Amino acid sequence: MSRSVLVTGGNRGIGLAIARAFAEAGDKVAITYRSGEPPAGFLAVKCDITDPEQVEQAYKEIEEKQGAVEVLVANAGITRDQLLMRMSEEDFSAVLDTNLTGTFRVVKRANRAMLRARKGRIVLISSVVGLMGAAGQANYAASKAALVGFARSLARELGSRNITVNVVAPGFVDTDMTRVLSDEQREGIVKQVPLARYAQPEEVAASVRFLASDEAAYITGAVIPVDGGLGMGH
Ligand SMILES: NC(=O)c1ccc[n+]([C@@H]2O[C@H](COP(=O)([O-])OP(=O)(O)OC[C@H]3O[C@@H](n4cnc5c(N)ncnc54)[C@H](OP(=O)(O)O)[C@@H]3O)[C@@H](O)[C@H]2O)c1
């Protein structure tokens, strides 16, 4: 396989594991980064997904250097945890702007060429928290739950053009995002996970790569949990 893949937030954490998984399979992989030195081995494009102009520029660069995006993994996301009483307008809108509107923006731009090609794979990274909710994460959970409705609407809209749209909902994964938690919080989480551990980013990446593979050609509108059983029942 040598498809043109884009992974937003592919410079670290789960996104980097996803980018590596595609590159190992022989795909051409572009990643976005916002600052610092991006990891080697990919087409790194500087892009903040909350800025429409930067998204447009990133796509132009990718199209020029590795061709129109055939597989999009919308992975970039943030948290701004706070109890509702203390959650500011800014905390709420920053999370929605990145996790939901930013995803809308990159998907819309990718869709243009996919429609023309009459094929495409879109995978959105949601979270178990979008299905279960979590105290202190109302903004994050709302943004991640919204991705499910967004994906399923697009699955209906784009299915006849051979474009699949799926969601991966990870549980707790060992990355910078969860390293901010205290040992006590981590232990409390692990107690609730049937598999009794955090996931490694590579375990999320494997499901993403599967959803973008030929074997998954008849899967669309699905929400695949990679959560050690934490959210089962939804
Ligand atoms: N870790 C978990 O337990 C877990 C569980 C469920 C779901 N998830 C989801 O999985 C995804 C990746 O999480 P992670 O754990 O790998 O987090 P992470 O280590 O904090 O990395 C977040 C990534 O998103 C990028 N990003 C954030 N805001 C961006 C923006 N406005 N424009 C472009 N890129 C932006 C970051 O880029 P910079 O390097 O420039 O900051 C970084 O590459 C997120 O959507 C997260 O919500 C994570």
Side-chain angles (χ1 to χ4, degrees), residues 3-21:
R3 302 169 299 182
S4 172
V5 178
L6 168 61
V7 184
T8 64
N11 58 322
R12 60 191 173 98
I14 295 171
L16 178 56
I18 295 168
R20 286 188 176 134

Side-chain angles (χ1 to χ4, degrees), residues 196-207:
R197 63 173 177 86
Y198 271 51
Q200 290 305 309
E202 292 72 23
E203 294 177 300
V204 178
S207 294

Side-chain angles (χ1 to χ4, degrees), residues 67 70 83-84 130 133-134 147 179 218-219 231:
E70 297 166 276
L83 294 175
L84 182 64
L147 291 181
R179 271 172 216 140
Y218 202 58
I219 301 176

Side-chain angles (χ1 to χ4, degrees), residues 96-224:
L96 269 290
D97 280 354
T98 304
N99 299 2
L100 178 60
T101 314
T103 297
F104 154 76
R105 201 167 278 132
V106 293
V107 168
K108 183 174 174 184
R109 184 58 178 76
N111 181 49
R112 200 196 284 177
M114 288 180 183
L115 279 176
R116 235 180 277 129
R118 290 190 162 266
K119 66 172 182 191
R121 295 298 168 91
I122 298 170
V123 182
L124 312 183
I125 307 301
S126 175
S127 167
V128 68
V129 166
L131 307 172
M132 293 178 71
Q137 291 200 302
N139 50 358
Y140 182 74
S143 72
K144 294 299 187 178
L147 291 181
V148 175
F150 179 60
R152 289 185 164 157
S153 302
L154 297 183
R156 292 184 189 283
E157 208 172 298
L158 305 173
S160 64
R161 303 294 182 95
N162 195 26
I163 299 169
T164 66
V165 189
N166 289 293
V167 173
V168 170
F172 287 87
V173 188
D174 195 17
T175 68
D176 295 342
M177 191 176 265
T178 49
R179 271 172 216 140
V180 297
L181 299 172
S182 67
D183 286 349
E184 202 185 349
Q185 285 171 312
R186 284 174 76 97
E187 278 164 28
I189 288 162
V190 165
K191 274 192 192 137
Q192 297 170 49
V193 180
L195 286 178
R197 63 173 177 86
Y198 271 51
Q200 290 305 309
E202 292 72 23
E203 294 177 300
V204 178
S207 294
V208 175
R209 194 172 60 181
F210 167 68
L211 288 169
S213 72
D214 287 346
E215 285 89 342
Y218 202 58
I219 301 176
T220 194
V223 179
I224 308 291

